[in-house]
Amino acid sequence: MTTASLLLITTTFSVNSEKSDKDENNAANCLRNIVAECAKQLRETPTAREQALSILREWIYQNTDIKNVRQDEPFLLRFLRYKKYSIPMAQQTLLKYLSLRKYYPEIFKNIDSEDPRLQEIINDGYIVVSPVRDNKGQQVIVYRMNKLNIQKFTCWDICRVHALIYESLVDDPTNQICGFCHVGDGNGASGAHIAMWNPTDFARLMKWGEQSIPMRHKDFHFINVPAGMKYIIDFAISKTKPKFADRIHLYSNLSQLHKRMDVNCLPSVFGGNIKFEDMLDYTKQLISEHRKKILGLDDMEILSTRGIRSSRGKNQANGDVTSVEGSFRKLEID
């Protein structure tokens, strides 16, 4: 058995009901070892964690440019782990996160798992979360383009459902440390999918999202990608850090995908061992459990963006210090 067969701690599903207690214990130990090794790479120790949390909380308390910001450990560790415990960089990412939420309220405000439009997108099977981690300890998120009703839903609906799923996952400590693996099937994608997007907004969301949303996206696996979608992927890469290109893998068939990924963390429609219906049920359970927390994010505010610095180390005091757009116009990738 590989570590990919280990069920997430929070799930109630079982991929193989005949697994012995010994197998379960071995898998749990494997995951603990993976998490411990990844934590070392993030420079995390108990002392560093407590000191950083204390400093970050004090900075939030004294910062008059932000209001009602969560100070619980899972939320703050999003930013500290994302920036490998560089406190100044974690502070900047937190400010950018709040700023992005303010600039795009159509995406980030009132993200409700009971919203009928979001429920329909998920029920259709466009995006689901696997209850099984891959062999790197990463949370696996699955996408199926042919399940997206582009005649009914807009690009903003798609962004909102992504935000809903991501916010439901990002407070989990294992996800913060080990990161995420994305697996997508481009079958059924067409020019209409591309036409959904305003190029300016797409470019902004790619660039700003990478700098502002504290998620460690480690691997991207795509199958059946049509030529038009390859162009979009290349464009997305151009708006992000160069290392992202090395994390993106394109395949023409499932056999190629299976050489890079353990089938135990994949749905049956991808040749895996998990019924897609079980994966969908797990996803709905996940977003329901985190509904109150996600809606509570709307209480947080950024009153001024003057504290956001560009990669050149200059703040935005000479520009529009209260405009979120102003804070990003000069922003370059760190």
Side-chain angles (χ1 to χ4, degrees), residues 99-111 156 160 298 324:
S99 191
L100 183 65
R101 287 181 54 85
K102 182 176 181 181
Y103 187 64
Y104 278 112
E106 58 267 69
I107 297 175
F108 297 103
K109 294 295 184 181
N110 194 34
I111 309 173
W156 304 117
R160 287 176 65 79
D298 292 352
V324 181

Side-chain angles (χ1 to χ4, degrees), residues 225-236:
V225 180
M229 292 301 293
K230 289 181 180 178
Y231 171 80
I232 294 298
I233 291 173
D234 289 340
F235 180 74

Side-chain angles (χ1 to χ4, degrees), residues 125-128 140-147 182-187 221-224 251 253-259 261-276 279:
Y126 163 66
I127 180 172
V128 291
V140 178
I141 307 174
V142 176
Y143 311 84
R144 301 170 70 192
M145 296 302 294
N146 63 354
K147 297 299 181 179
H182 303 267
V183 186
D185 184 356
N187 182 40
H221 301 276
F222 300 111
I223 60 173
N224 303 320
Y251 313 99
N253 56 60
L254 286 173
S255 296
Q256 293 177 347
L257 172 67
H258 294 167
K259 292 178 181 179
M261 291 196 68
D262 191 320
V263 296
N264 287 309
C265 62
L266 296 175
S268 55
V269 292
F270 280 35
N273 296 337
I274 310 174
K275 292 181 179 179
F276 190 82
M279 197 172 281

Side-chain angles (χ1 to χ4, degrees), residues 95-127:
L95 291 176
K96 293 172 187 177
Y97 169 81
L98 296 173
S99 191
L100 183 65
R101 287 181 54 85
K102 182 176 181 181
Y103 187 64
Y104 278 112
E106 58 267 69
I107 297 175
F108 297 103
K109 294 295 184 181
N110 194 34
I111 309 173
D112 192 346
S113 60
E114 296 183 1
D115 182 322
R117 294 181 70 84
L118 300 185
Q119 286 184 328
E120 185 171 345
I121 293 172
I122 291 174
N123 287 334
D124 286 347
Y126 163 66
I127 180 172

